[in-house]
Amino acid sequence: MLNTKKNKKIRRNRIIYLIQENFLVSVIIAVAIIAMVISGIVATVNSRERNKDSDTKTTLVKADTINLAMFEPRNFNVYESNDEDIFYINQLVYSSLFKLDKNLNITPDVVSKYSVDTSSGEVNIRLKDNVKFSDGSDLESSDVKASVDRIIAAESRSPYFVYASKINHIQINDSKNFTVVFNSASDAALDNLIFPITSAGEYNKGESFAIGSGPYAYSGHESGKTLKLAVNKYYYDGIAKLPIVFNIVKDRSVIPGLMTMDVVTAYLNKTQDADSIAQDKKLKYKKLASGELEYLGFNHENKYCSNSKFRIAISKAIDSSKIIKYNYAGAAVTSDSIYYPNFLGAKKDDTFNFEPKKATKLLKELKLKDRDEDGIIEDESGNPVTLRILVQNTNKQRLEAAETIIENLKQIGINAELVSVDADSYKDKLESKQYDIYFGGIKIDKQFNLTDLYTTYNKIGFSDSKLLTQISKLEQSLSSEEQLKQFTAIKKSINQDASYVPVCYKAYWFLSVDTLKNADDVSFYSPYEGAVKWQWSKRKTK
């Protein structure tokens, strides 16, 4: 009996085990089946995605407009607006007597020929015969005179007043010939004749959108959205390939994103890290030297800094390339003079090249050397050479660059002390000459007239009247060839004087979609130069 019960228990346990074992097998089989089904679904989906990808093609299609970006202008008036975007647009809509190339050389725009009387300050001009306004009317002498009169009437409200105000009057000889009479011979500069020319008869009909004779013409404006420029079919120097649409934005930081969507074709970015942004967005970028000079000025009352050979030695000890890389994050360029890099296309000068050994040699010629072998040079009386470098502490880049310069000077045995102060103290110390070298910056306009550094802003005690006369002569009416010859001589003189030494010129970045072609002539001053030739392609997905 006991055995029978025991056998029943064994059979029952075996049945339970078999049921459990079969259940696990069933679960395993079920899981396997489900996995197969899921795999099949995934395979099918992947197959469909692959088919979808193979069916989706991205092609390049030639764009039918150039898309740019701008802020909503506060004032469209060609002669009174100080909006940067309008200043750039004016160069597209209006012609001028003369214009600047990328080396800031003066070249004729609507001028056929001209002659200059430097003694009287008069420029005789003949206009080209084939220049027409966008309404088809001819550009004539009366239009030039009316344009000058309008600028002078606007006075300081006009960004062009500083140039046109130097004109005494315009004497019209006939429809194509006239004489510009300046207030004085010293005012007679061709770069004072770079201003927009508007139609004499049509201007009052629409001052905000005046008629011009440039490659483009205003064709529409929708506040907060777009500003449109149509192609001027009468433009004398080749009809533009594409019209332009400016998309009005409130925040420039969104523009790189818009470029990835082909909403914006190109724009001038003045932020330091624009090249990194461009790389991240897979955009093209080009570094453009700006008109912002970073420089050193030497106190001529200091017994060392009053010597030009000493000043040149200092300049040769400064590693500008290193300063640009580490203190300006690459957003700057070197220059071989205080003038714009490659100004007028003049030959390179090696006066300010980074050459520490030559710097040491120049110091030895001045009998300055490390006499007690403590790493610091001394004069003949054993006095160590110590300099105070004045810098404004609110400018982070300049402050860090000054620290790098101090390190550079230590390499040639000069002990330099950083005098870092706020704006008010900086100004006071400049005025009272409480410095040996000051680190400054200046934003120069299109004329690149640096006379003010030697006159109005002369905080260094500069007094070389002969050199100042040379610099002033550069501002008088000269042809491109004569101006280059004059500048070549001046450049040599100012570099050998070395009262001011360039550290670098800050740079802007021209960003564009990677398909943009023919944008080779752009500059900080004219970021849309050559837009008449621009072509680009949009990405189209099928």
Side-chain angles (χ1 to χ4, degrees):
M1 186 72 181
L2 291 171
N3 290 337
T4 303
K5 288 181 178 180
K6 186 176 180 180
N7 290 336
K8 286 182 178 179
K9 186 175 180 181
I10 291 170
R11 286 197 299 273
R12 186 171 67 249
N13 290 340
R14 187 176 295 167
I15 291 168
I16 292 171
Y17 173 77
L18 289 172
I19 291 171
Q20 289 175 336
E21 186 177 54
N22 289 335
F23 175 75
L24 290 172
V25 171
S26 299
V27 170
I28 292 169
I29 292 170
V31 169
I33 292 171
I34 291 170
M36 289 173 65
V37 171
I38 291 173
S39 297
I41 292 171
V42 171
T44 302
V45 170
N46 287 340
S47 176
R48 287 175 182 171
E49 287 298 322
R50 283 195 297 272
N51 290 335
K52 182 179 178 182
D53 289 342
S54 63
D55 292 339
T56 302
K57 294 181 180 179
T58 300
T59 57
L60 292 176
V61 180
K62 284 187 177 181
D64 54 6
T65 61
I66 296 169
N67 301 328
L68 301 174
M70 66 182 295
F71 283 128
E72 181 71 55
R74 293 164 294 180
N75 186 348
F76 274 108
N77 188 294
V78 55
Y79 294 128
E80 296 186 13
S81 178
N82 283 284
D83 289 20
E84 185 177 67
D85 289 318
I86 295 300
F87 178 79
Y88 294 148
I89 292 171
N90 283 347
Q91 296 173 67
L92 296 170
V93 176
Y94 306 100
S95 295
S96 181
L97 293 174
F98 295 89
K99 61 183 180 180
L100 301 176
D101 66 14
K102 59 184 178 182
N103 292 327
L104 301 183
N105 255 316
I106 297 170
T107 60
D109 188 359
V110 299
V111 173
S112 172
K113 60 182 180 179
Y114 66 96
S115 62
V116 178
D117 185 341
T118 53
S119 62
S120 64
E122 295 182 358
V123 183
N124 298 302
I125 291 175
R126 176 172 176 78
L127 297 171
K128 292 176 179 176
D129 293 324
N130 60 338
V131 181
K132 294 181 180 293
F133 289 103
S134 58
D135 64 352
S137 61
D138 290 333
L139 186 150
E140 298 182 344
S141 302
S142 58
D143 299 305
V144 178
K145 184 180 186 305
S147 299
V148 172
D149 291 343
R150 287 161 184 159
I151 295 171
I152 292 175
E155 296 183 328
S156 59
R157 298 192 307 278
S158 175
Y160 308 101
F161 180 71
V162 65
Y163 315 119
S165 61
K166 295 175 182 178
I167 298 173
N168 184 281
H169 67 278
I170 290 181
Q171 178 184 317
I172 296 177
N173 303 318
D174 58 41
S175 63
K176 294 296 180 182
N177 293 277
F178 59 91
T179 300
V180 180
V181 181
F182 285 91
N183 292 323
S184 68
S186 61
D187 288 329
L190 294 181
D191 52 17
N192 283 326
L193 300 178
I194 298 177
F195 50 78
I197 300 172
T198 52
S199 172
E202 297 294 323
Y203 178 77
N204 291 328
K205 293 183 180 179
E207 293 181 0
S208 291
F209 302 101
I211 293 175
S213 57
Y216 291 92
Y218 284 112
S219 65
H221 171 234
E222 190 173 356
S223 182
K225 294 185 178 180
T226 59
L227 172 69
K228 296 180 179 180
L229 300 183
V231 171
N232 175 8
K233 62 182 180 180
Y234 299 106
Y235 185 55
Y236 80 92
D237 197 25
I239 308 302
K241 293 182 180 298
L242 301 173
I244 296 175
V245 174
F246 284 88
N247 294 286
I248 296 173
V249 299
K250 293 182 178 179
D251 181 0
R252 288 195 191 274
S253 66
V254 306
I255 296 177
L258 296 176
M259 295 177 76
T260 64
M261 298 184 286
D262 289 338
V263 176
V264 175
T265 310
Y267 88 113
L268 184 68
N269 191 322
K270 297 184 179 182
T271 58
Q272 181 178 292
D273 61 346
D275 57 332
S276 298
I277 295 171
Q279 291 175 36
D280 181 60
K281 301 291 185 182
K282 295 182 172 59
L283 302 170
K284 284 201 299 189
Y285 58 97
K286 180 179 181 180
K287 185 190 290 189
L288 302 176
S290 76
E292 298 184 46
L293 168 65
E294 302 281 287
Y295 68 96
L296 301 179
F298 293 83
N299 184 354
H300 284 226
E301 292 181 5
N302 174 279
K303 66 177 181 178
Y304 303 119
C305 295
S306 61
N307 188 296
S308 62
K309 187 178 286 189
F310 181 84
R311 299 194 292 263
I312 292 173
I314 295 294
S315 73
K316 286 189 172 297
I318 297 171
D319 189 349
S320 290
S321 295
K322 181 179 178 181
I323 289 171
I324 289 170
K325 183 176 180 179
Y326 295 107
N327 304 132
Y328 289 86
V333 297
T334 59
S335 182
D336 63 344
S337 78
I338 58 171
Y339 280 83
Y340 189 70
N342 200 38
F343 187 58
L344 306 183
K347 290 182 180 179
K348 290 282 287 182
D349 184 281
D350 62 2
T351 302
F352 301 140
N353 284 2
F354 175 55
E355 298 173 303
K357 288 183 179 179
K358 285 191 177 181
T360 300
K361 182 180 178 182
L362 288 171
L363 293 174
K364 285 182 178 178
E365 289 175 7
L366 294 171
K367 302 187 183 330
L368 300 173
K369 59 182 181 180
D370 186 4
R371 301 174 190 281
D372 56 7
E373 298 183 352
D374 64 348
I376 303 298
I377 61 173
E378 293 90 20
D379 60 21
E380 291 181 287
S381 301
N383 300 311
V385 178
T386 301
L387 301 174
R388 297 165 298 170
I389 300 181
L390 177 65
V391 67
Q392 199 167 309
N393 59 20
T394 52
N395 190 309
K396 184 181 177 182
Q397 288 179 321
R398 212 171 286 161
L399 182 60
E400 291 177 353
E403 292 171 347
T404 301
I405 289 171
I406 287 174
E407 292 174 6
N408 289 160
L409 295 182
K410 282 182 181 177
Q411 298 302 311
I412 62 169
I414 292 178
N415 183 39
E417 172 194 348
L418 183 66
V419 182
S420 170
V421 295
D422 60 28
D424 290 336
S425 296
Y426 179 83
K427 184 178 178 181
D428 290 341
K429 288 183 180 296
L430 275 181
E431 294 290 346
S432 58
K433 300 287 192 302
Q434 295 182 55
Y435 70 92
D436 300 312
I437 301 174
Y438 82 88
F439 199 158
I442 185 170
K443 191 171 184 178
I444 308 165
D445 75 355
K446 65 180 179 61
Q447 289 186 315
F448 268 78
N449 184 347
L450 291 173
T451 308
D452 282 348
L453 272 180
Y454 296 91
T455 55
T456 309
Y457 306 120
N458 178 13
K459 307 300 180 185
I460 60 175
F462 177 85
S463 59
D464 189 337
S465 58
K466 184 179 178 181
L467 180 55
L468 187 58
T469 300
Q470 275 188 286
I471 295 169
S472 298
K473 279 185 177 179
L474 185 64
E475 307 309 319
Q476 295 179 12
S477 292
L478 298 166
S479 66
S480 296
E481 296 77 15
E482 290 171 331
Q483 193 173 41
L484 174 57
K485 183 179 179 181
Q486 181 78 18
F487 176 66
T488 300
I490 291 173
K491 182 178 180 180
K492 183 178 180 180
S493 296
I494 61 172
N495 282 7
Q496 289 304 312
D497 172 74
S499 288
Y500 295 104
V501 168
V503 175
C504 62
Y505 267 88
K506 287 186 177 181
Y508 301 152
W509 301 93
F510 180 74
L511 273 56
S512 70
V513 295
D514 61 2
T515 59
L516 180 64
K517 297 178 180 178
N518 305 324
D520 302 317
D521 298 326
V522 297
S523 68
F524 83 96
Y525 166 71
S526 184
Y528 309 134
E529 186 67 33
V532 292
K533 300 180 295 183
W534 289 7
Q535 289 181 302
W536 67 292
S537 299
K538 289 184 176 182
R539 292 173 182 80
K540 188 174 182 180
T541 303
K542 293 183 179 180

